[in-house]
Amino acid sequence: MKKLSLQEKWKSRIGPKDFKRNTKAKRDGNRAIGFTFISMLVSVVFMISHL
């Protein structure tokens, strides 16, 4: 019996298409969070520099 990683077990349990969709959604979510963080940081720096 071969050992499966947790990711492979999860993938086989929910199906490959759903796994791919969920992985892409997580990546897009992380990108959106990063973009929001960067834009907030830039706006704070802009406000501090113009005071």
Side-chain angles (χ1 to χ4, degrees):
M1 189 171 150
K2 79 177 191 181
K3 286 191 125 188
L4 297 175
S5 69
L6 287 176
Q7 190 174 23
E8 289 170 338
K9 286 180 184 176
W10 188 62
K11 185 176 182 178
S12 66
R13 189 171 70 236
I14 65 168
K17 286 187 177 179
D18 288 335
F19 178 80
K20 199 172 199 178
R21 187 181 319 128
N22 290 345
T23 304
K24 186 174 187 285
K26 282 181 192 174
R27 194 178 325 127
D28 290 344
N30 288 342
R31 187 178 300 145
I33 290 169
F35 178 74
T36 304
F37 177 74
I38 296 286
S39 63
M40 288 178 68
L41 193 62
V42 167
S43 65
V44 168
V45 168
F46 180 75
M47 289 179 69
I48 289 174
S49 67
H50 280 57
L51 282 178

